[in-house]
Amino acid sequence: MTYRPTVATAVPELTTLTLGVEEEFLLLDPETGENLPVADRVLTALPGPARDQSRQEFRHSMVEMVTPVTADLAELRAQLVALRRSAAEAAEAAGARLVAVGATPLREPHRTVPDKPRYHAMSRRYGPVAHDPAVCGCHVHVGVPDRELAVQVCNHLRQWLPVVQAITTNSPLHDGADTGHASWRGMQLERWPSIGPTPYFASATDYDRTVDELIAAGIMLDAAMVYWYARPSPAYPTVEIRVGDVCPTVDDTVLVAALVRALVATVLDDVRAGILAPPVRDCLVSAAHWRAAHDGLDGDLIDLRAGGARPAWALVDELFATVTPALVRHGDLAYVVAQLARLRDEGTGATRQRRILERTGDLRAVLADLAAQTRG
């Protein structure tokens, strides 16, 4: 399909929704490809502004960079470029490569958690699951200050998030081999009891009551451990979409952020119009996410609206058509058209990794290419 949408002449007014992105990165040994536990050194070496936008993560071989809030896609892109460059330079100073990849591709010899009470509590509660090799995601925050609206937005997103997940797949490798899954990160995370598709909630009260019950049952330590694929953020007035692997390039990330913002804007219109989220069984939503993690965009996805498996790109086309009015209202249409065309031509991060591995037979060549894409 060629992306040439027909845009209505009369477009309803929409307040521009704000955006923020969190990207998690691995720190890898340039020679061996193994995870390097040098996050503390990298964070210390960051220049002041970048350090303020960084976070310590659950692994000594991970860093997270967080953009400031913006409503402008070009500004978001510039922020991501600057943060990645600063983090890459700090990683190189610590003898590591900053790599945007969704799951540990080779090995992680050091799996102790940073010395924080919360991390130690998670380690005690979840045991070996908490010591799996590191995984890295891309989290997109979209401004929705009303929690009641935010919960309803999450209900409506359920049918589309497997498509978003497929677009971001960027972790086919584990233990030095192709797993057969486009997102091995998606498979690893399924072992955590508080991660997965967002349940359907009747209201914000229903949401809060359910979270309280899960905490009381010992499933979560606290409300911050709600790691569902979409959630009202516990810290910000946003809906946070956290289904995707970290993307290999800045343009991949910005494409996902633009599509997610347009999707949130579109379903907000539906919620305000009194349109109820379609009832989709949890087992089918879970199956759709499994298929997205397995196939990426190189196979089929499950259509949660019509039922059955369909070519992945057919659902990407339909997602694009659904959110086109919101892309127009935010001024993001031209960028998304160009980046979807590039994605169709180049493939997802998982596809690109497999292509290099097939051509070279050398995992180090894959990781070197990923590091170059990360740095930009």
Side-chain angles (χ1 to χ4, degrees), residues 265-323:
T266 300
V267 302
L268 264 174
D269 288 346
D270 290 343
V271 172
R272 287 168 173 154
I275 299 172
L276 297 177
V280 185
R281 292 181 179 176
D282 289 347
C283 60
L284 292 178
V285 178
S286 295
H289 280 290
W290 182 91
R291 192 66 184 264
H294 186 272
D295 286 19
L297 295 181
D298 292 330
D300 290 340
L301 297 175
I302 295 175
D303 187 339
L304 289 172
R305 297 158 306 142
R310 297 178 58 204
W313 272 100
L315 288 176
V316 175
D317 292 343
E318 291 182 14
L319 170 63
F320 174 80
T322 299
V323 304

Short mmCIF file of all heavy atoms in Angstrom, two decimals, residues 265-323:
data_model
loop_
_atom_site.label_atom_id
_atom_site.label_comp_id
_atom_site.label_asym_id
_atom_site.label_seq_id
_atom_site.Cartn_x
_atom_site.Cartn_y
_atom_site.Cartn_z
N ALA A 265 -4.80 10.02 20.64
CA ALA A 265 -5.72 11.10 20.28
C ALA A 265 -6.99 10.56 19.63
O ALA A 265 -8.10 11.04 19.90
CB ALA A 265 -5.02 12.07 19.32
N THR A 266 -6.83 9.54 18.80
CA THR A 266 -7.98 8.95 18.11
C THR A 266 -8.94 8.28 19.09
O THR A 266 -10.17 8.48 19.01
CB THR A 266 -7.50 7.93 17.06
OG1 THR A 266 -6.65 8.59 16.12
CG2 THR A 266 -8.67 7.28 16.34
N VAL A 267 -8.41 7.50 20.01
CA VAL A 267 -9.30 6.81 20.94
C VAL A 267 -9.87 7.78 21.97
O VAL A 267 -10.97 7.55 22.50
CB VAL A 267 -8.61 5.60 21.61
CG1 VAL A 267 -8.13 4.61 20.56
CG2 VAL A 267 -7.48 6.01 22.52
N LEU A 268 -9.14 8.87 22.26
CA LEU A 268 -9.72 9.91 23.13
C LEU A 268 -10.99 10.48 22.51
O LEU A 268 -11.99 10.71 23.21
CB LEU A 268 -8.70 11.03 23.34
CG LEU A 268 -7.84 10.99 24.60
CD1 LEU A 268 -6.80 12.10 24.55
CD2 LEU A 268 -8.68 11.10 25.86
N ASP A 269 -10.96 10.70 21.19
CA ASP A 269 -12.18 11.16 20.52
C ASP A 269 -13.31 10.16 20.70
O ASP A 269 -14.47 10.54 20.94
CB ASP A 269 -11.90 11.36 19.02
CG ASP A 269 -11.03 12.57 18.74
OD1 ASP A 269 -10.85 13.41 19.64
OD2 ASP A 269 -10.52 12.67 17.60
N ASP A 270 -12.98 8.86 20.59
CA ASP A 270 -14.00 7.83 20.76
C ASP A 270 -14.57 7.84 22.18
O ASP A 270 -15.78 7.73 22.39
CB ASP A 270 -13.43 6.45 20.44
CG ASP A 270 -13.13 6.27 18.95
OD1 ASP A 270 -13.65 7.06 18.14
OD2 ASP A 270 -12.38 5.33 18.61
N VAL A 271 -13.68 7.94 23.16
CA VAL A 271 -14.13 7.94 24.55
C VAL A 271 -15.06 9.13 24.81
O VAL A 271 -16.13 9.00 25.42
CB VAL A 271 -12.93 7.98 25.52
CG1 VAL A 271 -13.39 8.17 26.96
CG2 VAL A 271 -12.11 6.70 25.40
N ARG A 272 -14.65 10.31 24.33
CA ARG A 272 -15.46 11.52 24.55
C ARG A 272 -16.79 11.45 23.80
O ARG A 272 -17.77 12.09 24.20
CB ARG A 272 -14.67 12.73 24.13
CG ARG A 272 -13.54 13.07 25.12
CD ARG A 272 -12.58 14.07 24.56
NE ARG A 272 -11.60 14.50 25.58
CZ ARG A 272 -10.39 14.96 25.29
NH1 ARG A 272 -9.98 15.04 24.03
NH2 ARG A 272 -9.58 15.31 26.27
N ALA A 273 -16.83 10.66 22.73
CA ALA A 273 -18.08 10.49 21.98
C ALA A 273 -18.97 9.41 22.58
O ALA A 273 -20.05 9.13 22.05
CB ALA A 273 -17.76 10.14 20.52
N GLY A 274 -18.51 8.80 23.67
CA GLY A 274 -19.30 7.77 24.33
C GLY A 274 -19.21 6.40 23.69
O GLY A 274 -20.01 5.51 23.99
N ILE A 275 -18.22 6.20 22.81
CA ILE A 275 -18.03 4.90 22.16
C ILE A 275 -17.28 3.98 23.12
O ILE A 275 -16.20 4.31 23.62
CB ILE A 275 -17.24 5.05 20.86
CG1 ILE A 275 -18.01 5.96 19.88
CG2 ILE A 275 -16.97 3.69 20.23
CD1 ILE A 275 -17.23 6.32 18.63
N LEU A 276 -17.85 2.83 23.40
CA LEU A 276 -17.24 1.89 24.32
C LEU A 276 -16.14 1.10 23.63
O LEU A 276 -16.20 0.81 22.42
CB LEU A 276 -18.29 0.92 24.87
CG LEU A 276 -19.40 1.53 25.70
CD1 LEU A 276 -20.40 0.45 26.12
CD2 LEU A 276 -18.83 2.23 26.93
N ALA A 277 -15.11 0.74 24.39
CA ALA A 277 -14.05 -0.12 23.85
C ALA A 277 -14.64 -1.48 23.49
O ALA A 277 -15.48 -2.01 24.24
CB ALA A 277 -12.94 -0.29 24.88
N PRO A 278 -14.25 -2.05 22.37
CA PRO A 278 -14.80 -3.35 21.97
C PRO A 278 -14.42 -4.43 22.98
O PRO A 278 -13.29 -4.45 23.47
CB PRO A 278 -14.16 -3.61 20.61
CG PRO A 278 -12.95 -2.75 20.57
CD PRO A 278 -13.27 -1.54 21.40
N PRO A 279 -15.34 -5.32 23.30
CA PRO A 279 -15.01 -6.40 24.25
C PRO A 279 -14.16 -7.47 23.56
O PRO A 279 -14.62 -8.14 22.65
CB PRO A 279 -16.40 -6.94 24.63
CG PRO A 279 -17.27 -6.63 23.45
CD PRO A 279 -16.74 -5.37 22.85
N VAL A 280 -12.92 -7.58 23.98
CA VAL A 280 -12.01 -8.58 23.41
C VAL A 280 -11.54 -9.47 24.55
O VAL A 280 -11.10 -8.98 25.59
CB VAL A 280 -10.79 -7.91 22.74
CG1 VAL A 280 -9.92 -8.96 22.06
CG2 VAL A 280 -11.24 -6.86 21.74
N ARG A 281 -11.66 -10.76 24.38
CA ARG A 281 -11.26 -11.69 25.43
C ARG A 281 -9.77 -11.59 25.72
O ARG A 281 -8.94 -11.47 24.82
CB ARG A 281 -11.61 -13.12 25.03
CG ARG A 281 -13.11 -13.38 24.96
CD ARG A 281 -13.40 -14.81 24.59
NE ARG A 281 -14.84 -15.05 24.54
CZ ARG A 281 -15.37 -16.21 24.17
NH1 ARG A 281 -14.59 -17.22 23.81
NH2 ARG A 281 -16.68 -16.35 24.15
N ASP A 282 -9.44 -11.67 27.03
CA ASP A 282 -8.04 -11.55 27.43
C ASP A 282 -7.16 -12.59 26.76
O ASP A 282 -6.02 -12.30 26.39
CB ASP A 282 -7.92 -11.70 28.96
CG ASP A 282 -8.49 -10.50 29.70
OD1 ASP A 282 -8.74 -9.45 29.05
OD2 ASP A 282 -8.67 -10.59 30.92
N CYS A 283 -7.67 -13.81 26.59
CA CYS A 283 -6.85 -14.86 25.98
C CYS A 283 -6.50 -14.52 24.53
O CYS A 283 -5.39 -14.82 24.06
CB CYS A 283 -7.55 -16.21 26.07
SG CYS A 283 -9.14 -16.30 25.23
N LEU A 284 -7.43 -13.84 23.82
CA LEU A 284 -7.15 -13.45 22.45
C LEU A 284 -6.16 -12.29 22.39
O LEU A 284 -5.30 -12.24 21.50
CB LEU A 284 -8.44 -13.08 21.73
CG LEU A 284 -9.41 -14.23 21.48
CD1 LEU A 284 -10.68 -13.72 20.81
CD2 LEU A 284 -8.76 -15.31 20.61
N VAL A 285 -6.27 -11.36 23.33
CA VAL A 285 -5.31 -10.27 23.38
C VAL A 285 -3.91 -10.83 23.65
O VAL A 285 -2.92 -10.44 23.00
CB VAL A 285 -5.70 -9.24 24.46
CG1 VAL A 285 -4.65 -8.13 24.54
CG2 VAL A 285 -7.06 -8.63 24.16
N SER A 286 -3.79 -11.76 24.59
CA SER A 286 -2.50 -12.38 24.89
C SER A 286 -1.96 -13.11 23.66
O SER A 286 -0.76 -13.04 23.36
CB SER A 286 -2.62 -13.35 26.06
OG SER A 286 -2.96 -12.66 27.25
N ALA A 287 -2.84 -13.81 22.97
CA ALA A 287 -2.41 -14.53 21.77
C ALA A 287 -1.92 -13.57 20.69
O ALA A 287 -0.93 -13.85 19.99
CB ALA A 287 -3.57 -15.37 21.24
N ALA A 288 -2.59 -12.43 20.57
CA ALA A 288 -2.18 -11.44 19.57
C ALA A 288 -0.80 -10.88 19.89
O ALA A 288 0.01 -10.64 18.98
CB ALA A 288 -3.21 -10.32 19.49
N HIS A 289 -0.52 -10.67 21.16
CA HIS A 289 0.81 -10.18 21.54
C HIS A 289 1.87 -11.24 21.32
O HIS A 289 2.99 -10.93 20.89
CB HIS A 289 0.80 -9.70 22.99
CG HIS A 289 0.22 -8.33 23.16
ND1 HIS A 289 0.85 -7.19 22.72
CD2 HIS A 289 -0.96 -7.92 23.70
CE1 HIS A 289 0.10 -6.14 22.99
NE2 HIS A 289 -1.00 -6.56 23.58
N TRP A 290 1.55 -12.50 21.60
CA TRP A 290 2.52 -13.57 21.33
C TRP A 290 2.85 -13.60 19.85
O TRP A 290 4.02 -13.71 19.45
CB TRP A 290 1.98 -14.93 21.78
CG TRP A 290 2.99 -16.02 21.55
CD1 TRP A 290 3.95 -16.45 22.41
CD2 TRP A 290 3.17 -16.79 20.34
NE1 TRP A 290 4.71 -17.44 21.83
CE2 TRP A 290 4.26 -17.66 20.56
CE3 TRP A 290 2.52 -16.81 19.11
CZ2 TRP A 290 4.71 -18.55 19.59
CZ3 TRP A 290 2.98 -17.69 18.13
CH2 TRP A 290 4.05 -18.56 18.37
N ARG A 291 1.81 -13.49 19.00
CA ARG A 291 2.05 -13.55 17.55
C ARG A 291 2.88 -12.36 17.10
O ARG A 291 3.75 -12.48 16.23
CB ARG A 291 0.71 -13.59 16.81
CG ARG A 291 0.83 -13.94 15.33
CD ARG A 291 1.34 -15.37 15.15
NE ARG A 291 1.56 -15.71 13.77
CZ ARG A 291 0.68 -16.36 12.99
NH1 ARG A 291 -0.49 -16.71 13.49
NH2 ARG A 291 0.98 -16.66 11.74
N ALA A 292 2.62 -11.18 17.67
CA ALA A 292 3.40 -10.00 17.32
C ALA A 292 4.86 -10.17 17.70
O ALA A 292 5.77 -9.83 16.93
CB ALA A 292 2.82 -8.77 18.02
N ALA A 293 5.12 -10.73 18.89
CA ALA A 293 6.50 -10.95 19.32
C ALA A 293 7.18 -12.01 18.47
O ALA A 293 8.39 -11.97 18.26
CB ALA A 293 6.52 -11.36 20.79
N HIS A 294 6.42 -12.97 17.99
CA HIS A 294 7.01 -14.05 17.20
C HIS A 294 7.29 -13.62 15.76
O HIS A 294 8.39 -13.81 15.24
CB HIS A 294 6.07 -15.26 17.18
CG HIS A 294 6.66 -16.46 16.50
ND1 HIS A 294 6.54 -16.67 15.14
CD2 HIS A 294 7.38 -17.50 16.99
CE1 HIS A 294 7.17 -17.80 14.82
NE2 HIS A 294 7.68 -18.31 15.93
N ASP A 295 6.30 -13.01 15.10
CA ASP A 295 6.41 -12.71 13.68
C ASP A 295 6.93 -11.32 13.36
O ASP A 295 7.46 -11.09 12.28
CB ASP A 295 5.03 -12.86 13.01
CG ASP A 295 4.60 -14.31 12.84
OD1 ASP A 295 5.15 -15.18 13.54
OD2 ASP A 295 3.70 -14.57 12.02
N GLY A 296 6.75 -10.36 14.27
CA GLY A 296 7.05 -8.98 13.91
C GLY A 296 6.19 -8.55 12.74
O GLY A 296 4.99 -8.81 12.70
N LEU A 297 6.83 -7.92 11.75
CA LEU A 297 6.10 -7.53 10.54
C LEU A 297 6.38 -8.45 9.37
O LEU A 297 5.98 -8.17 8.24
CB LEU A 297 6.47 -6.08 10.16
CG LEU A 297 6.05 -4.99 11.14
CD1 LEU A 297 6.46 -3.62 10.61
CD2 LEU A 297 4.56 -5.03 11.43
N ASP A 298 7.07 -9.56 9.61
CA ASP A 298 7.45 -10.47 8.53
C ASP A 298 6.49 -11.63 8.35
O ASP A 298 6.77 -12.54 7.56
CB ASP A 298 8.86 -11.02 8.78
CG ASP A 298 9.92 -9.94 8.65
OD1 ASP A 298 9.69 -8.99 7.86
OD2 ASP A 298 10.96 -10.02 9.33
N GLY A 299 5.39 -11.63 9.10
CA GLY A 299 4.42 -12.71 8.98
C GLY A 299 3.02 -12.19 9.16
O GLY A 299 2.64 -11.16 8.60
N ASP A 300 2.25 -12.89 9.98
CA ASP A 300 0.86 -12.52 10.23
C ASP A 300 0.70 -11.97 11.64
O ASP A 300 1.50 -12.26 12.54
CB ASP A 300 -0.06 -13.73 10.08
CG ASP A 300 -0.19 -14.18 8.63
OD1 ASP A 300 0.11 -13.37 7.73
OD2 ASP A 300 -0.57 -15.34 8.41
N LEU A 301 -0.35 -11.19 11.82
CA LEU A 301 -0.79 -10.73 13.13
C LEU A 301 -2.25 -11.12 13.30
O LEU A 301 -2.96 -11.38 12.33
CB LEU A 301 -0.64 -9.21 13.27
CG LEU A 301 0.77 -8.64 13.19
CD1 LEU A 301 0.72 -7.12 13.23
CD2 LEU A 301 1.64 -9.18 14.32
N ILE A 302 -2.70 -11.17 14.55
CA ILE A 302 -4.10 -11.47 14.82
C ILE A 302 -4.90 -10.17 14.82
O ILE A 302 -4.55 -9.22 15.52
CB ILE A 302 -4.25 -12.20 16.17
CG1 ILE A 302 -3.57 -13.57 16.11
CG2 ILE A 302 -5.72 -12.37 16.54
CD1 ILE A 302 -3.56 -14.32 17.41
N ASP A 303 -5.93 -10.14 14.01
CA ASP A 303 -6.82 -8.98 13.94
C ASP A 303 -7.85 -9.11 15.06
O ASP A 303 -8.76 -9.93 14.99
CB ASP A 303 -7.51 -8.94 12.57
CG ASP A 303 -8.32 -7.67 12.36
OD1 ASP A 303 -8.69 -7.01 13.36
OD2 ASP A 303 -8.58 -7.33 11.19
N LEU A 304 -7.71 -8.30 16.10
CA LEU A 304 -8.59 -8.39 17.26
C LEU A 304 -9.95 -7.73 17.02
O LEU A 304 -10.84 -7.85 17.85
CB LEU A 304 -7.92 -7.77 18.48
CG LEU A 304 -6.74 -8.58 19.04
CD1 LEU A 304 -6.01 -7.79 20.12
CD2 LEU A 304 -7.22 -9.92 19.59
N ARG A 305 -10.12 -7.07 15.91
CA ARG A 305 -11.41 -6.47 15.59
C ARG A 305 -12.26 -7.44 14.76
O ARG A 305 -13.43 -7.64 15.05
CB ARG A 305 -11.22 -5.16 14.82
CG ARG A 305 -10.48 -4.08 15.63
CD ARG A 305 -9.85 -3.05 14.71
NE ARG A 305 -9.01 -3.70 13.73
CZ ARG A 305 -8.91 -3.30 12.46
NH1 ARG A 305 -9.61 -2.27 12.03
NH2 ARG A 305 -8.11 -3.93 11.62
N ALA A 306 -11.65 -8.04 13.75
CA ALA A 306 -12.41 -8.91 12.85
C ALA A 306 -12.19 -10.39 13.15
O ALA A 306 -12.98 -11.24 12.74
CB ALA A 306 -12.02 -8.62 11.40
N GLY A 307 -11.11 -10.70 13.89
CA GLY A 307 -10.79 -12.09 14.18
C GLY A 307 -9.93 -12.71 13.09
O GLY A 307 -9.99 -12.31 11.92
N GLY A 308 -9.12 -13.66 13.46
CA GLY A 308 -8.30 -14.38 12.51
C GLY A 308 -6.96 -13.71 12.26
O GLY A 308 -6.73 -12.56 12.63
N ALA A 309 -6.07 -14.48 11.62
CA ALA A 309 -4.74 -13.98 11.29
C ALA A 309 -4.76 -13.31 9.93
O ALA A 309 -5.43 -13.77 8.99
CB ALA A 309 -3.73 -15.13 11.30
N ARG A 310 -4.02 -12.19 9.83
CA ARG A 310 -3.92 -11.45 8.58
C ARG A 310 -2.48 -10.99 8.40
O ARG A 310 -1.73 -10.89 9.37
CB ARG A 310 -4.86 -10.24 8.60
CG ARG A 310 -6.34 -10.60 8.71
CD ARG A 310 -7.17 -9.34 8.79
NE ARG A 310 -6.96 -8.51 7.62
CZ ARG A 310 -7.17 -7.17 7.60
NH1 ARG A 310 -7.57 -6.56 8.71
NH2 ARG A 310 -6.96 -6.49 6.51
N PRO A 311 -2.06 -10.69 7.18
CA PRO A 311 -0.70 -10.18 6.97
C PRO A 311 -0.43 -8.96 7.85
O PRO A 311 -1.27 -8.06 7.96
CB PRO A 311 -0.68 -9.83 5.48
CG PRO A 311 -1.70 -10.73 4.87
CD PRO A 311 -2.79 -10.85 5.91
N ALA A 312 0.75 -8.94 8.45
CA ALA A 312 1.07 -7.88 9.40
C ALA A 312 0.94 -6.50 8.78
O ALA A 312 0.39 -5.57 9.40
CB ALA A 312 2.48 -8.09 9.95
N TRP A 313 1.42 -6.34 7.57
CA TRP A 313 1.38 -5.00 6.96
C TRP A 313 -0.03 -4.54 6.65
O TRP A 313 -0.30 -3.34 6.58
CB TRP A 313 2.29 -4.94 5.74
CG TRP A 313 3.68 -4.56 6.13
CD1 TRP A 313 4.75 -5.38 6.29
CD2 TRP A 313 4.14 -3.24 6.45
NE1 TRP A 313 5.86 -4.67 6.70
CE2 TRP A 313 5.51 -3.36 6.80
CE3 TRP A 313 3.53 -2.00 6.49
CZ2 TRP A 313 6.27 -2.26 7.17
CZ3 TRP A 313 4.30 -0.90 6.86
CH2 TRP A 313 5.64 -1.03 7.20
N ALA A 314 -0.97 -5.48 6.45
CA ALA A 314 -2.36 -5.07 6.27
C ALA A 314 -2.89 -4.38 7.51
O ALA A 314 -3.63 -3.39 7.44
CB ALA A 314 -3.22 -6.29 5.92
N LEU A 315 -2.48 -4.87 8.69
CA LEU A 315 -2.92 -4.24 9.94
C LEU A 315 -2.18 -2.94 10.19
O LEU A 315 -2.75 -1.99 10.77
CB LEU A 315 -2.74 -5.21 11.10
CG LEU A 315 -3.74 -6.37 11.10
CD1 LEU A 315 -3.44 -7.34 12.23
CD2 LEU A 315 -5.16 -5.86 11.22
N VAL A 316 -0.91 -2.85 9.79
CA VAL A 316 -0.21 -1.56 9.88
C VAL A 316 -0.91 -0.53 9.01
O VAL A 316 -1.12 0.62 9.42
CB VAL A 316 1.27 -1.70 9.47
CG1 VAL A 316 1.95 -0.33 9.46
CG2 VAL A 316 2.01 -2.64 10.42
N ASP A 317 -1.29 -0.93 7.80
CA ASP A 317 -2.02 -0.02 6.91
C ASP A 317 -3.31 0.46 7.56
O ASP A 317 -3.67 1.65 7.46
CB ASP A 317 -2.35 -0.72 5.59
CG ASP A 317 -1.11 -1.00 4.74
OD1 ASP A 317 -0.06 -0.39 5.01
OD2 ASP A 317 -1.20 -1.85 3.82
N GLU A 318 -4.02 -0.44 8.22
CA GLU A 318 -5.29 -0.06 8.84
C GLU A 318 -5.08 0.82 10.07
O GLU A 318 -5.87 1.73 10.33
CB GLU A 318 -6.10 -1.31 9.18
CG GLU A 318 -6.59 -2.02 7.92
CD GLU A 318 -7.43 -3.25 8.21
OE1 GLU A 318 -7.86 -3.43 9.37
OE2 GLU A 318 -7.65 -4.03 7.26
N LEU A 319 -4.02 0.55 10.82
CA LEU A 319 -3.68 1.44 11.92
C LEU A 319 -3.40 2.84 11.39
O LEU A 319 -3.91 3.84 11.93
CB LEU A 319 -2.45 0.91 12.68
CG LEU A 319 -1.83 1.85 13.72
CD1 LEU A 319 -2.82 2.14 14.84
CD2 LEU A 319 -0.54 1.24 14.29
N PHE A 320 -2.60 2.92 10.34
CA PHE A 320 -2.28 4.22 9.75
C PHE A 320 -3.55 4.94 9.29
O PHE A 320 -3.73 6.14 9.56
CB PHE A 320 -1.32 4.03 8.58
CG PHE A 320 -1.05 5.30 7.81
CD1 PHE A 320 -0.16 6.24 8.28
CD2 PHE A 320 -1.73 5.56 6.63
CE1 PHE A 320 0.08 7.42 7.59
CE2 PHE A 320 -1.50 6.73 5.92
CZ PHE A 320 -0.60 7.66 6.40
N ALA A 321 -4.43 4.22 8.60
CA ALA A 321 -5.66 4.85 8.12
C ALA A 321 -6.52 5.34 9.28
O ALA A 321 -7.14 6.42 9.21
CB ALA A 321 -6.45 3.85 7.26
N THR A 322 -6.55 4.57 10.37
CA THR A 322 -7.36 4.94 11.54
C THR A 322 -6.86 6.22 12.19
O THR A 322 -7.65 7.06 12.63
CB THR A 322 -7.35 3.79 12.56
OG1 THR A 322 -7.92 2.62 11.96
CG2 THR A 322 -8.12 4.15 13.82
N VAL A 323 -5.54 6.40 12.25
CA VAL A 323 -4.97 7.54 12.99
C VAL A 323 -4.61 8.71 12.08
O VAL A 323 -4.12 9.73 12.56
CB VAL A 323 -3.74 7.12 13.82
CG1 VAL A 323 -4.10 5.98 14.76
CG2 VAL A 323 -2.56 6.74 12.94
#
